[in-house]
Amino acid sequence: MDTERQAHLLGSAPGGTSAGTPTCAAPRRGRPRSEAAEQAICAAVERLMMDGAGLADLTVEGVAQAAGVGKATIYRRWPNKEAMLVDVVVRLDDPEPELAGRCAKDDLVTLLEHMRRRGLAKRSRWVLMVVFNQLHGLPALREVYYERVIRPRRETIRSVVERGQATGEFRADLDSEMLAEMLVGPMLVRTVLWDDAPLDDPGLSAAMVEAVLEGLGGPAHVRRAG
Amino acid sequence: MDTERQAHLLGSAPGGTSAGTPTCAAPRRGRPRSEAAEQAICAAVERLMMDGAGLADLTVEGVAQAAGVGKATIYRRWPNKEAMLVDVVVRLDDPEPELAGRCAKDDLVTLLEHMRRRGLAKRSRWVLMVVFNQLHGLPALREVYYERVIRPRRETIRSVVERGQATGEFRADLDSEMLAEMLVGPMLVRTVLWDDAPLDDPGLSAAMVEAVLEGLGGPAHVRRAG
Amino acid sequence: MDTERQAHLLGSAPGGTSAGTPTCAAPRRGRPRSEAAEQAICAAVERLMMDGAGLADLTVEGVAQAAGVGKATIYRRWPNKEAMLVDVVVRLDDPEPELAGRCAKDDLVTLLEHMRRRGLAKRSRWVLMVVFNQLHGLPALREVYYERVIRPRRETIRSVVERGQATGEFRADLDSEMLAEMLVGPMLVRTVLWDDAPLDDPGLSAAMVEAVLEGLGGPAHVRRAG
Amino acid sequence: MDTERQAHLLGSAPGGTSAGTPTCAAPRRGRPRSEAAEQAICAAVERLMMDGAGLADLTVEGVAQAAGVGKATIYRRWPNKEAMLVDVVVRLDDPEPELAGRCAKDDLVTLLEHMRRRGLAKRSRWVLMVVFNQLHGLPALREVYYERVIRPRRETIRSVVERGQATGEFRADLDSEMLAEMLVGPMLVRTVLWDDAPLDDPGLSAAMVEAVLEGLGGPAHVRRAG
DNA sequence: CGATAACCGAGACGGTACGTCGAGTCTTGGC
DNA sequence: GCCAAGACTCGACGTACCGTCTCGGTTATCG
């Protein structure tokens, strides 16, 4: 009766990403799942959340009603409310930007700037909120988000750093993990934790990159004045 | 019948912070509230959470049963489940450390080291988890935690910075807000978000302070080797 | 949590019928169950059924709503929909009549007449309908109804027969079981099975008693004409 | 697409009862309905019910699965679950016996004996159970069963009575309706209502006919001994 | 022989009700 | 007036069926 139900936990695209060879030879009998229903559910979740409803007000019954869909149609796709939320949230998240690649430092600024703008946009801000507010309660969300967002970002940063090292722009022993944390951490804190360290300043990203690379500094920095 | 109920939202000590004079002149007739019940509730919450239960599994009924207390006894103290959680969390949190004050940089390391050790201890790690995972859903928690933890820490950092500037240890234009964020942000990320950027390294705090002050650096840093 | 839940299956009166000694010495702590709620539920069931709704349309949710009661209040009293139905039905049933006792034959007529009138009254007709329509699906109903209705009636008939035998009105070897069946069976059939053998005839009961006692007869009955 | 669907409510044989000429001139293009599926459904219903399942446990989905048939195949034949049940029940019912016709009284005994044996056999007992337990809820069943079982039996009894009257075996004014009820009623009660008035006694039918014809009797019956 | 049409098993669809659980309130007897 | 116990209303949870609707595929008759 229940052929698959936790399919969406890792990698949401049905059919897989590997080319050519079909994942399942059995021709999947019966009426196929409605793509329309799936989109209606996602849209309903988004709409409900954008209408100011808190995360606790997000009801499976409410989503079903708002999407014009039966509850069973939701539970056929996800085993419970949390799994649905995880999957929808991940789908709603913005993709990472393409990096222009002029110089490594600019790429880091571009990346941070993307994060900053995500924090300003209502929808993606909500996505981040949900993610970081539910990580503890929903281990699955942590897993998925890490695989689909965090790890790619770290990879990106690492490649940028390597490029910068190759061109001599960065020191050869620059620790890309530490760099990633020191860039992403403060931006995340501003985005999801405190409203009073706002994201409005357009120069914020550049300032952060500058600070991380050059240091906020002790007196040794007087060399700058020289 | 129910004389007060949202007393605990700011400042949890009954009777207020001002010394001596009771807040209410009316002497509160009838049997006084049981201090034992209050502690039993806090202990029950702690015990339940330490036993691996997720935050979603924390129910008022469960707490009441675990504490050997009636549900009404809980609702007599807090207006709802969230308020109880906020209050208990704040009570369980560790106080900030006294700063030895040899040199400013060491004080920053001490402060970060305290955060790191909190992240390693099970109980305070859970407190941090709850706080940063529920900030969005519980505005009251944000308020209370900000007043009781975040603001004091920023103040502390600001005073350390000022001291460092006075002694010439730090540049005169060092932005203490930015410094706070760049120190606290990455440590928080390691603590509450991802398990794979661990806190085990005893030199972590010193390395972070060093990195923030001196920068992770571009090629200009070769001068260090000089 | 669930101290008692199948209490109503046999003997609906809480506290028992035995005199003096209390059934439970423990003083039953906590808020007692609302008698009003119980009656509201029964009334709601009756009202819903009288409004032409079929048995299949009788919903626990509907009953709860009609009674102004939470579903939990129903499920606190009965373990499921069927048990509730059984209990309510038995409560709604009319009690057996007092038998005047002039002569045994008249008592039998009185008894049958009571059945006939029950079949004509809307409410008790519905009770009978439910009972006889659900006996197969609800073994509990069979049990309860037998103990509370059928067996008492058989006892009554037996005592009437014995009285008639004592006065010489009946043969000494009259089989009271057989008599009960031959009186009750046809009346039940008219009541619950077929509409076209109606109960309107006021002389029906007397005719049935006469027929059962004297026989519908072969030619020997010409003595009647004499 | 759906040319006919309530065909089975009266007269289950497709094609109608009139001989030769097909009811519909249009020759029903396309693949004809599978006779095998139809039988599988009936068999599945019978099997499920014989396995001790209650009537409430009989679901369309369960029947479809047990029969190895799609749900649509069921709904193509009957408009809903109840219609299916009615039709299957009628098909499973045993036909009435041929009456030997020696003397009228023996015929009545034969008829009752057939009923008694049906009540003893598991399958036909279940059929009777369902019929008499669902008459209230399923008006269609009442209709069909009356036409196909009850009315013929009454006709049979009436003809037997008329024959008995013609031969002088019975009184001329014997009410055949009353007789039918007084014979059938008690036997039905024993069969479908109470287990404790069993059907095992092989002499039961004869005793019943005797009782109905001769009466259970008051003291006047002492004349029999004379 | 190919097109057409209705069939077939499988299973997803929108609904409705089930029985459970928890939130926050109310009501007992007893301290 | 507090306390433990537990009933109260309300509403969401996740499950099961109902009757309908596609899917891909099969099996008849018609043209």
Side-chain angles (χ1 to χ4, degrees):
Chain A
M1 282 195 177
D2 201 330
T3 39
E4 45 134 354
R5 211 147 95 179
Q6 55 252 34
H8 294 274
L9 293 185
L10 274 175
S12 64
T17 55
S18 48
T21 54
T23 316
C24 57
R28 309 283 284 104
R29 299 205 292 179
R31 177 175 172 176
R33 299 218 176 131
S34 161
E35 185 61 33
E38 207 134 337
Q39 289 172 358
I41 293 168
C42 290
V45 169
E46 183 181 351
R47 193 171 348 120
L48 288 174
M49 297 317 301
M50 293 309 102
D51 291 358
L55 189 54
D57 305 330
L58 198 73
T59 312
V60 172
E61 292 189 332
V63 171
Q65 188 144 14
V69 143
K71 266 205 297 181
T73 299
I74 293 180
Y75 282 106
R76 215 172 279 122
R77 286 166 169 72
W78 301 281
N80 52 45
K81 177 180 164 176
E82 280 72 34
M84 175 195 72
L85 194 60
V86 168
D87 198 42
V88 172
V89 157
V90 170
R91 290 181 190 210
L92 287 177
D93 200 13
D94 287 341
E96 290 291 319
E98 294 296 320
L99 293 184
R102 181 71 67 95
C103 79
K105 195 167 158 183
D106 287 357
D107 283 349
L108 294 180
V109 173
T110 302
L111 212 134
L112 266 196
E113 190 62 13
H114 176 70
M115 286 188 70
R116 188 178 72 89
R117 274 204 275 265
R118 278 210 296 182
L120 287 172
K122 197 173 179 189
R123 193 183 83 167
S124 49
R125 180 183 174 81
W126 174 79
V127 168
L128 283 169
M129 286 286 195
V130 170
V131 169
F132 292 103
N133 282 303
Q134 300 299 316
L135 281 178
H136 188 220
L138 306 179
L141 179 54
R142 175 186 231 119
E143 193 84 14
V144 176
Y145 200 77
Y146 186 82
E147 289 302 319
R148 306 231 315 157
V149 179
I150 305 302
R151 202 214 299 263
R153 183 158 59 207
R154 301 217 162 188
E155 290 296 314
T156 303
I157 291 177
R158 196 171 54 75
S159 72
V160 169
V161 165
E162 284 173 356
R163 197 145 36 83
Q165 288 169 327
T167 63
E169 191 180 351
F170 292 157
R171 295 169 51 182
D173 61 346
L174 196 156
D175 182 348
S176 97
E177 284 293 313
M178 179 77 106
L179 176 70
E181 254 166 41
M182 291 185 64
L183 287 174
V184 170
M187 192 61 90
L188 276 182
V189 167
R190 281 181 186 250
T191 305
V192 303
L193 299 187
W194 315 117
D195 288 330
D196 60 349
L199 301 164
D200 303 324
D201 178 10
L204 181 62
S205 303
M208 279 187 163
V209 170
E210 185 69 21
V212 168
L213 289 178
E214 305 298 332
L216 290 172
H221 286 255
V222 292
R223 68 175 161 18
R224 270 181 183 162
Chain B
M1 284 191 177
D2 202 329
T3 39
E4 45 132 354
R5 220 156 78 181
Q6 55 251 33
H8 294 273
L9 293 186
L10 274 175
S12 64
T17 53
S18 49
T21 55
T23 316
C24 56
R28 315 266 288 102
R29 307 208 315 162
R31 175 174 172 181
R33 291 196 183 153
S34 158
E35 183 60 32
E38 207 135 338
Q39 289 172 357
I41 292 167
C42 289
V45 170
E46 184 180 351
R47 193 173 347 119
L48 287 173
M49 298 318 301
M50 293 310 101
D51 290 357
L55 188 54
D57 304 330
L58 194 75
T59 66
V60 172
E61 290 189 333
V63 170
Q65 186 142 18
V69 141
K71 271 205 296 180
T73 299
I74 293 180
Y75 282 104
R76 215 172 279 122
R77 285 164 170 74
W78 300 280
N80 52 45
K81 176 180 164 178
E82 279 71 34
M84 175 194 73
L85 190 60
V86 168
D87 199 40
V88 171
V89 157
V90 170
R91 288 181 192 210
L92 288 176
D93 199 16
D94 289 340
E96 290 291 318
E98 292 297 320
L99 294 184
R102 181 73 68 93
C103 77
K105 196 167 158 183
D106 286 357
D107 282 350
L108 294 180
V109 172
T110 302
L111 212 135
L112 266 195
E113 189 62 13
H114 176 70
M115 286 189 68
R116 188 178 72 89
R117 274 203 276 263
R118 277 210 295 183
L120 286 171
K122 196 174 180 187
R123 194 184 81 167
S124 49
R125 179 185 174 80
W126 175 79
V127 169
L128 283 170
M129 286 283 198
V130 170
V131 170
F132 292 101
N133 284 305
Q134 299 299 315
L135 282 178
H136 189 220
L138 306 180
L141 179 54
R142 175 188 230 120
E143 193 84 13
V144 176
Y145 202 77
Y146 188 80
E147 290 303 317
R148 307 228 318 155
V149 179
I150 306 301
R151 203 212 300 265
R153 183 158 59 206
R154 298 216 164 188
E155 289 297 313
T156 303
I157 290 178
R158 197 170 52 76
S159 72
V160 169
V161 165
E162 284 173 356
R163 198 148 34 85
Q165 288 170 327
T167 62
E169 192 179 352
F170 293 157
R171 294 169 50 182
D173 62 346
L174 196 156
D175 181 349
S176 96
E177 285 293 314
M178 180 77 107
L179 177 71
E181 252 166 44
M182 291 185 64
L183 287 175
V184 171
M187 191 62 88
L188 279 182
V189 167
R190 281 182 187 251
T191 305
V192 301
L193 297 186
W194 316 119
D195 288 330
D196 61 347
L199 301 164
D200 304 323
D201 179 10
L204 181 62
S205 304
M208 278 187 165
V209 171
E210 183 71 21
V212 167
L213 289 178
E214 303 300 330
L216 290 171
H221 285 257
V222 292
R223 71 183 161 6
R224 272 180 184 164
Chain C
M1 284 193 178
D2 201 331
T3 38
E4 45 135 354
R5 208 143 100 181
Q6 56 254 33
H8 293 274
L9 293 185
L10 273 175
S12 63
T17 55
S18 49
T21 54
T23 318
C24 55
R28 309 282 284 106
R29 298 203 296 177
R31 177 174 172 177
R33 298 217 176 132
S34 161
E35 185 60 33
E38 206 134 338
Q39 288 171 358
I41 293 168
C42 290
V45 170
E46 182 180 353
R47 192 170 351 117
L48 286 174
M49 297 317 301
M50 293 309 100
D51 291 357
L55 188 54
D57 304 330
L58 198 72
T59 312
V60 172
E61 293 189 329
V63 171
Q65 188 145 14
V69 143
K71 267 203 300 180
T73 299
I74 294 181
Y75 284 105
R76 212 172 281 123
R77 286 166 169 74
W78 301 281
N80 51 45
K81 177 180 163 177
E82 279 71 34
M84 175 195 73
L85 194 59
V86 167
D87 197 42
V88 172
V89 157
V90 169
R91 289 181 191 208
L92 287 176
D93 200 14
D94 287 342
E96 290 290 318
E98 294 294 320
L99 294 183
R102 180 71 66 95
C103 79
K105 192 167 161 183
D106 287 357
D107 282 349
L108 296 180
V109 173
T110 302
L111 213 134
L112 264 196
E113 189 64 9
H114 176 71
M115 286 188 69
R116 187 179 72 89
R117 275 205 274 264
R118 277 211 296 181
L120 287 172
K122 197 174 180 190
R123 193 183 81 166
S124 49
R125 179 183 174 81
W126 174 77
V127 169
L128 283 169
M129 286 286 194
V130 170
V131 170
F132 291 104
N133 282 303
Q134 300 299 317
L135 281 177
H136 188 220
L138 308 179
L141 179 54
R142 176 187 231 121
E143 193 84 11
V144 177
Y145 201 77
Y146 186 82
E147 288 303 318
R148 306 231 315 155
V149 179
I150 306 301
R151 201 215 299 266
R153 183 158 59 208
R154 301 218 162 186
E155 289 297 313
T156 304
I157 291 177
R158 196 171 52 76
S159 73
V160 169
V161 165
E162 284 173 357
R163 196 147 36 84
Q165 289 169 326
T167 63
E169 191 180 350
F170 292 156
R171 297 169 50 182
D173 62 347
L174 195 155
D175 181 350
S176 97
E177 285 293 314
M178 181 75 107
L179 177 70
E181 254 165 43
M182 292 185 63
L183 287 174
V184 170
M187 190 61 87
L188 277 182
V189 167
R190 282 182 186 249
T191 305
V192 302
L193 298 187
W194 315 118
D195 289 329
D196 60 347
L199 301 164
D200 304 323
D201 179 11
L204 181 62
S205 303
M208 278 187 165
V209 171
E210 184 71 22
V212 168
L213 289 178
E214 303 298 333
L216 290 172
H221 284 255
V222 294
R223 67 174 165 14
R224 269 182 186 163
Chain D
M1 281 193 178
D2 202 331
T3 39
E4 45 131 357
R5 210 143 95 179
Q6 56 252 33
H8 294 273
L9 293 185
L10 275 174
S12 63
T17 54
S18 48
T21 55
T23 317
C24 56
R28 312 269 287 101
R29 307 209 317 161
R31 176 176 172 178
R33 293 198 181 150
S34 158
E35 183 62 31
E38 205 136 337
Q39 289 173 357
I41 292 167
C42 290
V45 170
E46 183 180 352
R47 191 171 352 116
L48 286 173
M49 298 318 302
M50 294 309 103
D51 291 357
L55 188 54
D57 304 330
L58 195 76
T59 65
V60 173
E61 291 189 331
V63 171
Q65 186 143 16
V69 142
K71 272 205 299 180
T73 301
I74 293 179
Y75 283 104
R76 215 171 279 124
R77 286 165 169 74
W78 301 280
N80 52 44
K81 176 180 162 176
E82 279 70 34
M84 175 195 73
L85 189 60
V86 168
D87 197 41
V88 172
V89 157
V90 170
R91 289 181 191 209
L92 288 176
D93 199 16
D94 287 342
E96 290 291 319
E98 292 297 320
L99 293 183
R102 181 73 67 95
C103 78
K105 195 166 157 182
D106 286 358
D107 282 350
L108 293 179
V109 172
T110 302
L111 212 134
L112 265 196
E113 190 62 10
H114 176 71
M115 286 189 69
R116 188 179 73 89
R117 274 204 275 263
R118 278 211 295 182
L120 286 172
K122 198 173 180 189
R123 195 184 81 167
S124 49
R125 179 184 175 81
W126 174 79
V127 169
L128 282 169
M129 286 283 197
V130 170
V131 169
F132 290 103
N133 283 305
Q134 299 299 317
L135 282 177
H136 188 220
L138 306 180
L141 178 55
R142 176 187 230 118
E143 192 84 13
V144 176
Y145 202 77
Y146 187 82
E147 289 303 318
R148 308 232 314 158
V149 178
I150 306 301
R151 201 213 299 265
R153 183 158 60 207
R154 300 218 164 187
E155 289 296 314
T156 304
I157 290 178
R158 196 171 53 76
S159 73
V160 168
V161 166
E162 282 175 356
R163 196 145 38 83
Q165 288 169 327
T167 62
E169 191 179 351
F170 293 156
R171 295 168 50 182
D173 62 349
L174 195 157
D175 181 349
S176 97
E177 285 293 314
M178 179 76 107
L179 177 70
E181 253 165 43
M182 292 186 63
L183 286 176
V184 170
M187 192 60 88
L188 277 182
V189 167
R190 281 181 187 249
T191 305
V192 301
L193 299 186
W194 317 117
D195 289 329
D196 61 348
L199 300 164
D200 304 324
D201 179 10
L204 181 63
S205 304
M208 278 187 163
V209 170
E210 184 69 21
V212 167
L213 288 178
E214 303 299 331
L216 290 171
H221 285 256
V222 295
R223 69 181 164 8
R224 271 182 184 163

